[in-house]
Amino acid sequence: MIDLHVHTTASDGQYTPTQIIEKASEHNIGVIAITDHDTIGGIEEGKKAAAQKGITFVAGTELNINFPTGEFHLLGLGFKKISPSLTALLDNLVKNREIRNQQIIQKMRDGGVDITLEEMEAMFPNTVLGRPHFAAMLVEKKLVKTRQQAFDRYIAKGRPWYVQRVGSNLDEAIVAIKESGGIPVLAHPMSLYLSWGKLPDTLQNFYERGVVGIEAYHPGARVTECLRLDELGRKIGFIITAGSDFHGEKVRSDRRLGHTCGGKKIDDKIWEEIKDLII
């Protein structure tokens, strides 16, 4: 089994990089990519833990990209070194997150919630704060029963405490990933919220600009959609990847390490097709 899209406590995951590798070993996963949001903070720990367990480790990240509809997340997979361009891009993304977090906190305080940034940082140390952490805080304060309820009532798009996130420019992100020895892969394409009529031309544009692959298989999509993405991606020339987008059972109970759309185990054949481009 493989898994090319996993999160840790370096961003919004439940488990530390070491714990993720331990879980991967328990589930007989032989290849794993740590792809935390807008950070590479979990890579070194994960790499060391994977070496001890004999697991092939793929250093990565998941970048937020500016896009007019839905969400555009770009995976960087297979970093050999961290280039100055990637460091600068990540620094800028973190700064944008910090501004957004302050704005969310202000909205929450205006709504009667006693919360400070210092309190958030103390509760979630050594991580890149984002909405999942605010959701967890609202559960902790007993304002909601579940994290999903926090999103549904307060911090999802269109809800009272939502603040639009500022991402990176796609072309700059592609350059930064490639200069770090990695390959750019479009994560969960269905999250772009484009119709099937518009998707082919959009993906063709991304390919011509330097995106190398698409994550055709993701638990957030139907199996039929994933098969259609696989066919479309190969027709354009993309490599095909798959991931669980695992964050931990307490964060997303519907996702399992090493499994993707339809609860299926991720096929080792996917790794065999692309490994020469990544390792």
Side-chain angles (χ1 to χ4, degrees):
M1 290 173 64
I2 70 169
D3 200 331
L4 298 176
H5 188 164
V6 176
H7 297 276
T8 77
T9 51
S11 63
D12 57 347
Q14 177 181 341
Y15 299 106
T16 67
T18 298
Q19 290 170 333
I20 281 290
I21 298 302
E22 290 173 350
K23 290 183 72 68
S25 179
E26 291 169 4
H27 289 81
N28 296 315
I29 293 173
V31 180
I32 192 166
I34 286 181
T35 55
D36 283 307
H37 293 285
D38 301 335
T39 182
I40 53 172
I43 287 178
E44 285 305 312
E45 181 184 337
K47 184 177 181 180
K48 291 178 182 177
Q52 293 174 354
K53 294 290 186 178
I55 294 174
T56 298
F57 182 78
V58 178
T61 190
E62 183 175 11
L63 306 175
N64 185 52
I65 305 297
N66 290 323
F67 195 70
T69 64
E71 287 187 336
F72 186 166
H73 289 177
L74 188 68
L75 296 170
L77 297 176
F79 297 139
K80 311 303 184 298
K81 59 179 181 180
I82 303 302
S83 66
S85 58
L86 182 59
T87 298
L89 185 144
L90 291 171
D91 286 346
N92 191 54
L93 282 170
V94 170
K95 289 178 183 177
N96 288 338
R97 277 179 175 269
E98 289 172 350
I99 293 170
R100 183 196 195 203
N101 290 340
Q102 290 282 18
Q103 293 171 335
I104 292 173
I105 285 172
Q106 188 58 54
K107 283 177 175 283
M108 293 174 74
R109 292 181 67 83
D110 291 345
V113 180
D114 182 16
I115 184 175
T116 65
L117 181 60
E118 291 73 22
E119 182 182 6
M120 291 290 295
E121 291 173 340
M123 185 173 180
F124 304 103
N126 303 316
T127 190
V128 176
L129 290 174
R131 284 186 299 163
H133 302 101
F134 285 103
M137 176 64 80
L138 290 172
V139 173
E140 181 73 15
K141 289 181 175 290
K142 302 187 184 306
L143 294 173
V144 293
K145 292 183 179 179
T146 66
R147 297 186 187 197
Q148 188 58 51
Q149 193 176 73
F151 274 88
D152 294 342
R153 289 186 180 180
Y154 299 115
I155 56 179
K157 191 170 185 177
R159 300 291 91 198
W161 300 338
Y162 176 79
V163 176
Q164 179 68 40
R165 183 167 53 188
V166 177
S168 290
N169 171 273
L170 174 59
D171 299 300
E172 292 177 356
I174 290 170
V175 169
I177 290 169
K178 290 185 174 181
E179 287 184 348
S180 298
I183 61 170
V185 173
L186 170 63
H188 38 73
M190 301 308 296
S191 294
L192 295 172
Y193 291 161
L194 293 176
S195 68
W196 283 103
K198 293 181 179 180
L199 197 57
D201 286 345
T202 301
L203 293 182
Q204 182 69 44
N205 174 265
F206 294 163
Y207 180 76
E208 292 173 359
R209 290 164 72 177
V211 176
V212 173
I214 63 168
E215 186 183 43
Y217 297 94
H218 182 274
R222 300 183 181 91
V223 173
T224 53
E225 292 171 329
C226 294
L227 292 172
R228 192 171 178 181
L229 286 168
D230 185 319
E231 182 180 6
L232 175 59
R234 292 179 189 276
K235 182 178 180 179
I236 292 172
F238 287 115
I239 67 167
I240 302 301
T241 75
S244 67
D245 203 354
F246 181 75
H247 289 68
E249 297 84 3
K250 291 183 179 179
V251 181
R252 290 295 302 261
S253 61
D254 58 327
R255 296 182 181 175
R256 298 162 59 199
L257 201 63
H259 294 72
T260 189
C261 59
K264 296 178 179 293
K265 291 182 179 179
I266 301 174
D267 197 329
D268 290 347
K269 291 180 181 179
I270 288 177
W271 177 245
E272 293 302 317
E273 290 180 356
I274 67 176
K275 66 181 181 180
D276 290 342
L277 291 174
I278 294 178
I279 60 175

